Every structure is written in structure tokens, then in C-alpha cells.
């Protein structure tokens, strides 16, 4: 069979890949998006969207991500941006409506789709990535592309093409623990809020050491459409003690969604997963599906407001937080984020804290950051031409990826990669050769935030919502052996 010819090929239709494909097509490139599943959005179609803002409550992600939110809000399918002292902001979206909207946007922009299609090999000639080999029910086929964007989340194109990559933390290579999320319906919101108000239950551990923040949160909780939860440790402990819960999890983690009776549970957990090993992935799926019924029962028996709750939906894919990170021309570090670095070749921004779900222990390691930029060099695969990356594949350390991995920041990276790819095709140059000023101007024209219109900290919101100290590393709970070793930022 003849090879498929395209100008821009995007592998993976998650937040990063979908945004990349849309940006490339809107910029005039013939664009093909290849996706293993039968829907667009990847993990973004299973979660709330966190991190559009920075800790100073300025919107650091605009562009396509903001457009998606606006379109969903106009249809009543997303909450407002809810500002939050730990997560900066959260938007709760109707995930099924998002999948439909993504399909509409792809059609409008004439993005060509190949669904239920997996990339199984990479075509490399010397130092140039020429495309990929795909496998589907129709058989095997080659795709030839001028620029390929690896947004597979696993760096599959890079790995098969001999491009260097890293995986997991220094020490043992373990990645953040994965979670299969699920939604509960039938939640009694007033009773849940009463539980949040109970100081003894400590529903939000970040706030506990800061009574001022706690009071501010309690003052607005009735009117808050989306409530982030990371606590209730005494309830989890009691359930463990009674033999009712065996999940390696010590906190209730989840989000009270904008639909008043719905809650997103983010509590299944597998320790020591290798997302690039099929046996490990199969084992993880087997375990998390066994954890779901136990957790549903735990909520019904232990958590205020959940007595009549029921299982509404299990996400269609395991939430893998981290996998292969492709080595690019620059690797983003934790220090870049803490210092709020402004790179001369900035093509995206972020402001979400570094949020590491411990690979082999429970709870999280966290460190706050300042609004930072992501340089284009982190999107350009090292040592080859013709390969860009975005999303979880970004060239970043284990620690910095723990911030850049959230959905809005993945969308911003995708928009940058797709725009660069289309511009490179139009000019007949490699993406690396693009004048960075031209790329930045184009992104700004599209509405992206690169720092140009960020302005001063939003003092009104800092006063109203409150702010955690920048140097507040949170590392409570049981830390596993490697987490106890000194790392880039864990004190
Ligand atoms: C449990 C959990 C909770 C989270 N909570 C939040 C949250 O509340 N808010 C937030 O903003 N972020 C959250 N995140 C982070 C965020 O969801 C992800 O990091 C982000 O969505 C990653 O986007 P991506 O496009 O890089 O990857 P993905 O969404 O993983 O997309 C990759 C796509 O590539 C496809 N693919 C992979 N390999 C191939 C191949 N070989 N061929 C073809 N297709 C392939 C996959 O099917 C997938 O659709 C959470 C993550 C997890 C795991």
C-alpha cells in the first residue's frame, strides 16, 4: 500500500496533540492526527483542568486552551475559573461535551484523523525523522511527514526513532504513580460541605497550617462551584484500620465537580508502574479495576455526603502521569520554575506547582513555583531534524514535568509545537531554523500568553483568596526510600 503523505503528523490526540494538530491546521498545514483510542482529548477528556493561572492569580495560559474553556462555558458545559491557593485555578468541564467539541473543532480546521490507529515504528533517515509506521484493523502503513510531533505521552516516536529519552526520577527511574479516575453521582453537596467544615477531618491539608487561608476558603465554600479535596486522612486511616480499604492511599483525593451531585475520585493507585511495559500496564489495569468497587463502598460508608452515591463512570484510560520524557535542545528544571525563568525563546507559560504523586509511597511531594516560560528548545528533539514534542513528552526533569504536565500547560505547548511545525513547512525550513521572533509573534497574534500581557500580581485576588508561601515544600505522609534521598528540591 502507498504511504500516506502529509505535511504535519501529530501522534496522540490528548490535550497536547489535539492542540498541536488544531494549531498546525489553522496555520494552513495539511495535518494528520493519529490516535490509538476512538475519541479526541486523551486524559483531558477524563479530568478537571487545573493550572490556567499562576500563584498571583494571573492567567498564564491563554490561546487555544482559553478558547476551549470559553466554548464549553458558552454551552453551559464548563464551570467558571475557580481560583485556588494551591492549584491556582480549576475549571470543571463536561468531559463528554469536550470530546464532541474537539471533534467539531478538528472538522472545522480540516484536521485529518486516523483513530484506532497505533504508531508502531518510526522512519528515520540519517538525522531526519521522516514519519512513522502505523498499525490498525486495515493493516500496516507508512506515513511520510515533513514534521512529526510526538504527543503520545510515552515518547513512542522518539523511542522507536533512536532519539534519547529519560524516564522517572533519578535513583530508580520510577515514574509518578498512575490513577484510574472515576466519577460518583448522587452526592449530597451540603452534607459534603459540612464535612469540609469539620476541622477534625482536615479535608484540605495544604490549608491547615494557614488559618487565614482556611477561613477565607470556608467563607466562600458555599458559593464555590468546584471544591478540590486532598485530605480527610482520619477517615482513610479508620477505613484501613477496619480492613475496609486496602488501596495504597492515605488521603481522599478528588474534586467536587460543577455538577452539584458529582465527584471525581482520584484515589486508585499503583506503585512501581512502568508505563512502557505491557505486563506492568496490564497488572496496573487489573489492580485499579479491583480498587474501584472498594473505594465506592468506602465513600458511601465513610465520607460525609456520599451515603447515597453511586458509580457513574470509570474513565476510559488509566491516568499515566509520567512516562518517557524526550531529550530536547534544552531540559526544563525545577529551578527554572521556582525562579520563574523568562527564556528568550519562550513559546508557552505555566504557573502550576510541582506536584509529584510519589512513585512508591502515598500522598505527594510539592513545591510552589512562579509564573515561568517554556523555551521552544524544550519542544525540539535533540540530535535530529523533523521531530517536535509536547505534553508529557516535553524535555523536562522529573520534577519540572510535575508542573508542565497539567492540561492547560500541555495545550499551550501543543499550540506552540503545531504552529511552529506549520510555519516550518510553509517556509521550507526545519523547525529549529525558524526565527524565534516570528514564531512568538504568530503565537501572540493567536492569543497565546508569553508574558507580554501578564501584568502585575492580581492583588485583589491575592487578598480575597490568599496565597501560600513560595517556599512551602509539602512532603508529609509516608515517603518511600528514594523519596527520602535528597533530590533537586526536596529538603
Ligand atoms: C490521575 C490523573 C489526574 C490528573 N488530574 C489533572 C487535573 O485535575 N487537571 C489537570 O489539568 N491535569 C491533570 N492531570 C494531568 C493531565 O491530565 C495529563 O498530564 C495531560 O492530560 C497529558 O496530556 P498529553 O496530551 O501529554 O497526554 P495524554 O492525554 O496521555 O494523550 C496522549 C495520547 O496519545 C495516544 N497514544 C499514545 N501512544 C500512541 C501511539 N503509539 N499511537 C497512537 N496514539 C498513541 C493516547 O491514546 C493518548 O490519547 C492528571 C493526570 C492524571 C494521570
Amino acid at each position: 500500500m502507498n504511504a500516506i503523505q502529509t505535511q504535519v503528523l501529530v501522534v496522540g490526540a490528548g490535550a497536547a496533540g489535539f492542540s498541536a494538530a488544531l494549531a498546525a491546521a489553522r496555520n494552513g498545514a495539511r495535518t494528520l492526527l493519529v490516535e490509538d483510542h476512538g475519541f479526541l482529548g486523551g486524559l483531558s477528556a477524563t479530568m478537571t483542568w487545573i493550572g490556567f493561572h499562576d500563584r498571583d492569580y494571573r492567567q498564564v495560559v491563554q490561546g487555544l486552551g482559553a478558547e476551549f474553556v470559553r466554548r464549553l462555558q458558552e454551552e453551559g458545559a464548563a464551570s467558571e475559573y475557580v481560583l485556588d491557593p494551591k492549584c491556582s485555578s480549576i475549571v470543571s468541564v463536561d468531559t463528554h461535551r469536550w470530546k464532541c467539541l474537539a471533534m467539531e473543532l478538528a472538522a472545522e480546521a480540516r484536521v485529518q484523523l486516523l483513530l484506532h490507529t497505533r504508531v508502531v515504528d518510526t522512519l528515520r533517515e540519517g538525522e531526519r525523522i521522516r514519519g512513522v509506521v502505523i498499525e490498525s484493523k486495515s493493516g500496516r502503513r507508512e506515513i511520510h511527514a515533513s514534521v512529526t510531533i510526538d504527543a503520545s505521552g510515552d515518547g513512542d516516536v522518539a523511542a522507536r526513532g533512536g532519539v534519547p529519552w529519560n524516564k522517572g526520577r533519578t535513583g530508580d527511574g520510577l515514574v509518578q504513580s498512575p490513577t484510574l479516575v472515576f466519577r460518583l453521582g448522587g452526592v449530597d453537596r451540603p452534607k459534603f460541605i459540612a464535612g469540609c467544615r469539620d476541622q477534625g477531618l482536615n479535608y484540605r491539608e495544604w490549608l491547615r497550617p494557614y488559618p487565614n487561608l482556611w477561613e477565607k476558603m470556608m467563607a466562600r465554600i458555599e458559593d464555590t462551584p468546584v471544591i478540590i479535596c486532598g485530605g480527610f486522612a482520619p477517615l482513610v486511616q479508620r477505613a484501613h484500620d477496619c480492613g475496609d480499604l486496602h488501596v495504597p492511599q492515605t488521603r481522599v483525593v478528588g474534586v467536587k465537580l460543577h455538577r452539584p451531585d458529582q465527584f471525581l475520585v482520584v484515589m486508585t493507585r499503583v506503585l512501581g508502574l512502568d508505563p512502557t511495559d505491557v505486563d506492568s500496564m496490564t497488572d496496573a489495569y487489573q489492580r485499579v479495576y479491583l480498587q474501584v468497587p472498594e473505594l465506592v463502598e468506602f465513600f458511601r460508608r465513610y465520607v460525609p455526603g456520599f451515603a447515597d452515591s453511586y458509580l457513574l463512570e470509570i474513565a476510559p484510560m488509566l491516568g499515566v502521569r509520567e512516562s518517557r520524557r524526550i531529550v530536547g535542545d534544552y531540559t526544563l528544571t525545577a529551578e527554572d520554575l521556582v525562579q520563574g525563568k523568562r527564556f528568550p525563546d519562550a513559546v508557552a507559560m505555566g504557573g502550576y506547582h510541582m506536584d509529584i504523586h510519589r512513585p512508591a509511597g502515598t500522598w505527594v511531594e510539592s513545591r510552589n513555583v512562579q509564573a515561568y516560560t517554556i523555551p521552544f528548545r524544550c519542544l525540539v528533539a535533540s540530535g535530529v531534524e523533523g521531530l517536535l514534542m509536547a505534553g508529557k513528552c516535553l524535555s523536562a526533569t522529573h520534577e519540572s514535568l510535575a508542573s508542565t504536565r497539567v492540561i492547560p500547560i500541555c495545550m499551550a505547548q501543543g499550540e506552540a509545537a503545531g504552529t511552529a511545525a506549520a510555519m516550518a513547512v510553509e517556509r521550507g525550513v526545519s523547525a529549529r531554523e525558524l526565527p524565534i521572533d516570528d514564531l512568538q509573534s504568530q503565537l501572540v497574534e493567536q492569543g497565546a500568553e508569553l508574558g507580554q500581557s501578564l501584568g502585575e500580581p492580581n492583588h485583589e485576588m491575592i487578598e480575597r483568596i490568599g496565597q501560600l508561601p513560595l517556599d512551602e515544600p509539602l512532603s508529609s505522609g509516608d515517603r518511600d526510600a528514594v523519596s527520602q534521598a535528597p533530590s533537586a528540591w526536596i529538603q
Side-chain angles (χ1 to χ4, degrees), residues 23 34 222 316:
V34 175
E222 303 285 351

Side-chain angles (χ1 to χ4, degrees), residues 11 34 36 117-123 131-136 139-143 156-157 159-161:
V11 178
V34 175
D36 196 21
T117 304
R118 177 171 278 225
V119 166
V120 293
D121 210 349
T122 299
L123 302 170
V132 299
V133 179
I134 52 168
E135 175 100 37
S136 70
R140 265 187 183 228
R141 220 168 156 188
E142 290 188 359
I143 302 177
D156 282 357
V157 181
R160 302 286 171 126

Side-chain angles (χ1 to χ4, degrees), residues 49 65-79 91-102 259 411:
W49 298 358
E67 177 188 332
F68 302 152
V69 171
R70 194 183 64 249
R71 293 277 296 255
L72 290 169
Q73 286 172 336
E74 283 167 3
E75 295 171 14
S79 72
V91 179
S92 172
V93 303
D94 288 339
T95 49
H96 294 296
R97 188 64 192 94
W98 165 229
K99 288 189 252 187
C100 300
L101 175 64
R259 300 294 173 196
M411 289 170 172

Side-chain angles (χ1 to χ4, degrees), residues 10-18 34-52 89-91 114 116-121 134 150-157 160 177-181 255 264-268 317-322 352 355 357 390-394 401 404-411 413:
V10 182
V11 178
F18 174 68
V34 175
E35 167 56 46
D36 196 21
H37 284 82
F39 63 93
L40 303 178
L43 290 177
S44 74
T46 70
M47 310 279 176
T48 50
W49 298 358
I50 293 187
F52 274 96
S89 69
I90 181 165
V91 179
L114 270 177
H116 294 293
T117 304
R118 177 171 278 225
V119 166
V120 293
D121 210 349
I134 52 168
D150 190 339
S152 64
D154 291 314
D156 282 357
V157 181
R160 302 286 171 126
S177 58
T179 296
L180 179 70
V181 302
V255 182
L264 181 75
V265 181
V266 190
M267 284 181 74
T268 65
M317 56 204 280
L318 178 68
V320 172
R321 292 186 169 88
E322 184 187 7
Y352 185 72
D355 181 16
H357 291 245
K392 288 185 294 187
C393 304
L394 188 77
L401 187 88
T404 61
R405 70 187 177 86
V406 291
I407 290 159
I409 307 175
C410 288
M411 289 170 172
Q413 297 166 40

